[in-house]
Amino acid sequence: VGCVLASEMYKSEEPILLVDIGTNGEMVMGNKDHMIACSTAAGPAFEGATIAQGMRAASGAIESVEITSDNVILGTIDHQPAIGICGSGLIDIVAELLRSKIIDGTGRMITQNEALEMGLHKDLASRITGSAPNVSFRLTSSDAETTVSITQQDIREVQLAKGAILAGIQTLMKTLEIEKEQIDSIMIAGAFGNYTQKENALCIGLFPDIPLEKIISIG
């Protein structure tokens, strides 16, 4: 209700989707004539509870990630040494691993041998350890004081959480008989949602595939 009032979506002629991603994923869809809402269990993964080295958005949490052809560039809260991964960083990591083909479309993480065979740079391949199904990818440099990695199980937890959110959105769309092309905008609220890179959220299928400019962070 607070999000509906603050966003003023109740004044809109066109259908709006508002998603508040925090401890849970609350969402409401509609316009000035009619709105419906639902909630999904999104928080456990995105707030770190089910992630091996997950944590809340606190000093030292990895909040942004970029994987280049031969390196991993991390952004941490307060620019402190990395000690864990918070929600926005988690979305970035999965999207970047997907783009780099270190995980495939099913969420499976490749092994180091597979990475080398497909021509991945040796510096990136060296970050992959373990064998299926216990593969992990090291995010921090080899000389970092604390080693922070993302595991295959972490990827599965993200899939569960993002699947729950998307399922909630699709349920609202089906109930209101709204196609994705009819959505005027997606408003993202919540401590986690507000810092999520929109491109990466779309990359992993967190939201319906709509034009990027229609996704708005509202605080």
Side-chain angles (χ1 to χ4, degrees):
V1 173
C3 288
V4 169
L5 291 172
S7 67
E8 298 191 334
M9 65 177 288
Y10 60 89
K11 298 179 180 178
S12 176
E13 296 280 347
E14 302 300 324
I16 288 176
L17 168 64
L18 190 147
V19 186
D20 177 4
I21 305 176
T23 302
N24 292 305
E26 288 92 13
M27 56 205 73
V28 57
M29 177 180 279
N31 60 7
K32 66 182 183 64
D33 299 318
H34 184 60
M35 286 184 281
I36 57 174
C38 72
S39 178
T40 64
F46 294 138
E47 292 197 334
T50 59
I51 304 301
Q53 289 183 272
M55 62 182 288
R56 299 292 293 271
S59 186
I62 296 171
E63 62 175 347
S64 65
V65 179
E66 179 187 355
I67 298 178
T68 66
S69 60
D70 63 352
N71 197 17
V72 178
I73 302 168
L74 304 178
T76 62
I77 295 177
D78 296 333
H79 306 291
Q80 294 298 304
I83 57 172
I85 309 165
C86 68
S88 58
L90 195 58
I91 296 294
D92 279 7
I93 292 164
V94 176
E96 289 289 285
L97 290 175
L98 194 55
R99 291 190 186 103
S100 306
K101 297 183 169 49
I102 295 170
I103 59 173
D104 63 20
T106 71
R108 185 185 76 89
M109 190 180 294
I110 62 174
T111 63
Q112 187 175 116
N113 285 341
E114 288 174 317
L116 291 170
E117 286 172 6
M118 65 180 263
L120 197 72
H121 194 282
K122 61 180 177 59
D123 289 348
L124 284 186
S126 69
R127 292 172 177 264
I128 304 171
T129 58
S131 56
N134 300 310
V135 187
S136 64
F137 181 82
R138 177 172 49 80
L139 298 164
T140 49
S141 61
S142 57
D143 59 354
E145 188 173 323
T146 301
T147 299
V148 181
S149 301
I150 186 163
T151 69
Q152 176 67 78
Q153 183 57 38
D154 293 338
I155 303 295
R156 298 304 185 202
E157 292 292 335
V158 173
Q159 287 178 288
L160 287 173
K162 85 98 191 179
I165 291 172
L166 189 60
I169 293 169
Q170 290 176 340
T171 301
L172 296 184
M173 291 170 64
K174 183 177 180 180
T175 303
L176 289 174
E177 298 181 345
I178 291 173
E179 300 296 327
K180 64 180 182 181
E181 293 78 13
Q182 296 173 272
I183 299 173
D184 184 69
S185 61
I186 297 179
M187 297 181 177
I188 312 171
F192 160 72
N194 199 48
Y195 293 99
T196 300
Q197 294 290 329
K198 299 183 289 185
E199 299 89 342
N200 291 336
L202 282 179
C203 176
I204 71 166
L206 187 63
F207 304 124
D209 187 16
I210 70 169
L212 201 61
E213 63 269 17
K214 287 189 171 185
I215 301 177
I216 306 162
S217 294
I218 63 169

